[in-house]
Structure formats: C-alpha cells, structure tokens
Amino acid sequence: MRNTKQRDLVLNIINESCTHPTAEEIYFECKKQIKNISLGTVYRNLNSLVDLRKIKRLKMSNHIDRFDKETKHIHFICIRCDKIIDIYEHNILNYTNLIGKNKVLDCKISLEGICEECLKKEGEK
Amino acid sequence: MRNTKQRDLVLNIINESCTHPTAEEIYFECKKQIKNISLGTVYRNLNSLVDLRKIKRLKMSNHIDRFDKETKHIHFICIRCDKIIDIYEHNILNYTNLIGKNKVLDCKISLEGICEECLKKEGEK
DNA sequence: GTATCTGCAAAGAATTTGCAATCCT
DNA sequence: AGGATTGCAAATTCTTTGCAGATAC
C-alpha cells in the first residue's frame, strides 16, 4: 500500500479527535487541508485503515458508522441520546489466543445504557 | 403496545433460529405463514423488539444487520468469511449497575478474528 | 514505467417513512 | 370507537464503485 497525503490526513484527524467522528465529519475536516478531496476517497481510506487495524469502526444504532483511534478503551453508548463515553478505567477482557481453533484478533466491548443526563431528564418527567 | 400476529411471528422465528438471520431472511420466513406480510412491517417489528430488549441486533461489517435471540452468549465473527460462532463457555463480563452515574443496561461483547476454516485455507496458499 | 490511488458522479442497497386501510382492545 | 399497526411503494441516505487522470515508488 502506498502512502498518500489523503490517507495520512484521515488517520491524523481520527487520532487527534475526541468525538468519534462520522465519515462525513471527517470529510469536512479533511477539506480544510485538501480542498478537493472527495468523499469516496475518505470512505476508501477509512475502510483500508480499519482493515489495517489502525483505527476502529463503531457501529451505531442509526447505521451511520463512527470512527475512533486505536487505543485500549471501551465505550458506553446512551440509548436515548447516542452519546458515546470513553471508558478507560476497567479491566478489559483480553482473549489473545485461540477459542477452539479460531484465532482471536480483537475483543470488542461496548456498554449500552442511559447516560447521567438522560436519566436526569427522565426523572424530571 | 398491541399484540399482533406479525410481531409474534417475527419473534418466534428469531427464537427458533440458530442462524442469526437478516431482516430479509426473516421476511421470507414470515411469508411462509403470512403470505402478504410486508418487509416494512418486519423492519418495524425488528426495531421495536430490539427496543423492548426481546432480541439482539448484530452489526455486521457489510452493513446488513442480523438478529439473534436474547440469551447470554457472545459471538466470534470471522473477518474473512463473516461466519458467526456462538460462544457460551466464557465468563461474561457483567456490569450490572452504574458506571459513574450512567446506568448500564447491557454489555455487548464480540470477538473478531479468523475462523478455523479460513485459517486452514490461508495456510494452504 | 506502472500499479495504485484519487476525484467525480452515478449507482447500489439496506432501511425508513407517508398514507390509507385494517386490526386490537 | 379510536389509536396502533399493517401493506404498499416510494423516498431516503449512507456507502460503494467505474472510470479516466494523477501520483507514489
């Protein structure tokens, strides 16, 4: 795989973001530096970066994927407002080897629930 | 929420399946019993059953959701062939309470890797 | 030099939605 | 009766893809 400024930029944007951006958000951020970059290129690079395990794809309930840097943490996702909260404090399960004869490469954990803010709103009703 | 034969059927099909079917597969299965059921109805009922926590939605890498009965197990998904293997044997993390002040309702775990069959194929090359 | 990557625009495809008719309770 | 649900079909919208030109190595 070749190095391109487009792919480097996509990776940098994700690594420097704390907001788990969507492809479209990444695209608009890219345009600030490469005016004529295309959305197709952003999608293609997101897919290849995921395959290379340099970033993570987050599947959201509304079918719009979000992307995240590759660091050891898990997510709490609010089912009311879709807020994503990063959680670093827990012991993360680590299946490093084999399950049966299947090779495990990654263990994805996400917590789902209702965030503090939404709980408060519901209490007020 | 009212009871309808359409929603009951969708739930039954999922509970009796071992194949993590897609919405379309569920739709075709439904048609065997309700000839004029519509795909839109299947989608609406899948969404409401997920909200009610009676079934689980599995987000796949090809963007086609699959659905599964609500039992305590996790999945191993092969990144080569997309095969899904149910895993019951592990101690499943259980965050039952709160993280910070966020209420946790569910803990989703999925393992990603390369299945035995695909490993064998790659060894042969 | 050449295979890979990009920009552009159109295509593709899963899912959602509007509306009138139907069905539960 | 009256509101929720359905069937139908069209709309929506995220994502992918074909192609010609540009680029990395």
Short mmCIF file of all heavy atoms in Angstrom, two decimals, chain B residues 3 9 13-14 16 26 29 49-50 57 59 67 79 103 106 112 121:
data_model
loop_
_atom_site.label_atom_id
_atom_site.label_comp_id
_atom_site.label_asym_id
_atom_site.label_seq_id
_atom_site.Cartn_x
_atom_site.Cartn_y
_atom_site.Cartn_z
N ASN B 3 -50.61 -6.52 20.73
CA ASN B 3 -50.14 -7.79 20.17
C ASN B 3 -50.59 -7.91 18.73
O ASN B 3 -51.75 -7.64 18.43
CB ASN B 3 -50.72 -8.97 20.96
CG ASN B 3 -50.12 -9.05 22.35
OD1 ASN B 3 -48.95 -8.72 22.54
ND2 ASN B 3 -50.92 -9.47 23.32
N LEU B 9 -44.85 -13.52 15.18
CA LEU B 9 -44.18 -14.40 14.23
C LEU B 9 -42.71 -14.05 14.10
O LEU B 9 -41.84 -14.92 14.12
CB LEU B 9 -44.89 -14.31 12.88
CG LEU B 9 -44.32 -15.16 11.75
CD1 LEU B 9 -44.23 -16.63 12.16
CD2 LEU B 9 -45.18 -15.02 10.50
N ILE B 13 -39.69 -16.64 15.01
CA ILE B 13 -38.70 -17.06 14.01
C ILE B 13 -37.29 -16.85 14.54
O ILE B 13 -36.42 -17.71 14.39
CB ILE B 13 -38.92 -16.29 12.69
CG1 ILE B 13 -40.16 -16.86 11.99
CG2 ILE B 13 -37.70 -16.39 11.79
CD1 ILE B 13 -40.63 -16.05 10.82
N ILE B 14 -37.08 -15.72 15.19
CA ILE B 14 -35.75 -15.46 15.72
C ILE B 14 -35.43 -16.41 16.87
O ILE B 14 -34.34 -16.96 16.95
CB ILE B 14 -35.64 -14.00 16.17
CG1 ILE B 14 -35.69 -13.10 14.94
CG2 ILE B 14 -34.35 -13.77 16.94
CD1 ILE B 14 -35.86 -11.65 15.25
N GLU B 16 -36.40 -19.35 17.32
CA GLU B 16 -36.21 -20.73 16.89
C GLU B 16 -35.10 -20.90 15.87
O GLU B 16 -34.86 -22.01 15.41
CB GLU B 16 -37.53 -21.29 16.36
CG GLU B 16 -38.53 -21.47 17.50
CD GLU B 16 -39.93 -21.81 17.02
OE1 GLU B 16 -40.09 -22.05 15.81
OE2 GLU B 16 -40.84 -21.81 17.87
N ILE B 26 -35.63 -13.13 7.53
CA ILE B 26 -36.79 -13.23 8.42
C ILE B 26 -38.06 -12.95 7.64
O ILE B 26 -39.07 -13.64 7.81
CB ILE B 26 -36.63 -12.25 9.60
CG1 ILE B 26 -35.46 -12.70 10.49
CG2 ILE B 26 -37.92 -12.15 10.42
CD1 ILE B 26 -34.96 -11.64 11.43
N GLU B 29 -39.00 -15.98 5.70
CA GLU B 29 -39.53 -17.00 6.62
C GLU B 29 -40.96 -16.64 7.04
O GLU B 29 -41.85 -17.50 7.09
CB GLU B 29 -38.61 -17.10 7.83
CG GLU B 29 -38.69 -18.40 8.60
CD GLU B 29 -38.29 -19.60 7.76
OE1 GLU B 29 -37.44 -19.45 6.84
OE2 GLU B 29 -38.85 -20.68 8.00
N LEU B 49 -38.80 -4.80 18.73
CA LEU B 49 -38.35 -5.92 19.57
C LEU B 49 -36.95 -5.67 20.15
O LEU B 49 -36.66 -6.07 21.27
CB LEU B 49 -38.37 -7.23 18.77
CG LEU B 49 -39.77 -7.78 18.47
CD1 LEU B 49 -39.70 -8.88 17.41
CD2 LEU B 49 -40.44 -8.30 19.73
N VAL B 50 -36.12 -5.00 19.37
CA VAL B 50 -34.80 -4.63 19.90
C VAL B 50 -34.97 -3.62 21.03
O VAL B 50 -34.35 -3.75 22.09
CB VAL B 50 -33.89 -4.06 18.79
CG1 VAL B 50 -32.65 -3.42 19.39
CG2 VAL B 50 -33.49 -5.15 17.81
N ARG B 57 -29.64 -7.10 18.12
CA ARG B 57 -29.21 -6.74 16.78
C ARG B 57 -27.70 -6.94 16.68
O ARG B 57 -26.97 -6.48 17.56
CB ARG B 57 -29.54 -5.28 16.51
CG ARG B 57 -29.18 -4.78 15.12
CD ARG B 57 -29.22 -3.26 15.04
NE ARG B 57 -30.48 -2.70 15.49
CZ ARG B 57 -31.55 -2.54 14.72
NH1 ARG B 57 -31.49 -2.86 13.45
NH2 ARG B 57 -32.66 -2.05 15.21
N LYS B 59 -24.48 -6.01 14.49
CA LYS B 59 -23.98 -5.14 13.43
C LYS B 59 -22.86 -5.85 12.70
O LYS B 59 -21.85 -6.19 13.31
CB LYS B 59 -23.44 -3.85 14.05
CG LYS B 59 -24.51 -2.99 14.69
CD LYS B 59 -25.26 -2.28 13.63
CE LYS B 59 -26.12 -1.16 14.17
NZ LYS B 59 -26.78 -0.48 13.05
N PHE B 67 -30.01 -10.60 13.37
CA PHE B 67 -30.77 -10.59 14.62
C PHE B 67 -30.62 -11.91 15.33
O PHE B 67 -30.43 -12.97 14.72
CB PHE B 67 -32.23 -10.25 14.31
CG PHE B 67 -32.38 -8.88 13.72
CD1 PHE B 67 -32.28 -8.69 12.35
CD2 PHE B 67 -32.53 -7.77 14.54
CE1 PHE B 67 -32.35 -7.41 11.79
CE2 PHE B 67 -32.60 -6.49 13.99
CZ PHE B 67 -32.52 -6.31 12.62
N ILE B 79 -13.38 -12.39 10.25
CA ILE B 79 -13.24 -11.23 9.37
C ILE B 79 -13.03 -11.64 7.92
O ILE B 79 -13.09 -10.81 7.02
CB ILE B 79 -12.07 -10.31 9.79
CG1 ILE B 79 -10.73 -11.06 9.72
CG2 ILE B 79 -12.30 -9.78 11.19
CD1 ILE B 79 -9.53 -10.16 9.94
N LYS B 103 -26.37 4.64 33.80
CA LYS B 103 -26.99 3.36 34.09
C LYS B 103 -26.70 2.36 32.96
O LYS B 103 -27.05 2.60 31.81
CB LYS B 103 -28.50 3.57 34.20
CG LYS B 103 -29.28 2.34 34.60
CD LYS B 103 -30.75 2.72 34.69
CE LYS B 103 -31.61 1.57 35.17
NZ LYS B 103 -33.04 1.96 35.11
N ASP B 106 -26.76 -3.04 29.31
CA ASP B 106 -26.29 -4.19 28.55
C ASP B 106 -24.80 -4.07 28.31
O ASP B 106 -24.25 -2.97 28.23
CB ASP B 106 -27.03 -4.25 27.20
CG ASP B 106 -26.87 -5.60 26.53
OD1 ASP B 106 -26.39 -6.54 27.17
OD2 ASP B 106 -27.25 -5.70 25.34
N GLU B 112 -13.45 -10.87 17.36
CA GLU B 112 -13.26 -10.78 15.93
C GLU B 112 -11.97 -11.51 15.62
O GLU B 112 -11.02 -11.41 16.38
CB GLU B 112 -13.14 -9.30 15.57
CG GLU B 112 -13.21 -9.00 14.12
CD GLU B 112 -13.05 -7.50 13.90
OE1 GLU B 112 -14.04 -6.77 13.97
OE2 GLU B 112 -11.90 -7.09 13.67
N LYS B 121 -7.42 -22.49 5.08
CA LYS B 121 -7.29 -22.07 3.68
C LYS B 121 -6.06 -21.20 3.48
O LYS B 121 -5.35 -21.32 2.48
CB LYS B 121 -8.52 -21.25 3.26
CG LYS B 121 -9.70 -22.09 2.83
CD LYS B 121 -10.81 -21.17 2.35
CE LYS B 121 -12.16 -21.87 2.44
NZ LYS B 121 -13.28 -20.92 2.52
#
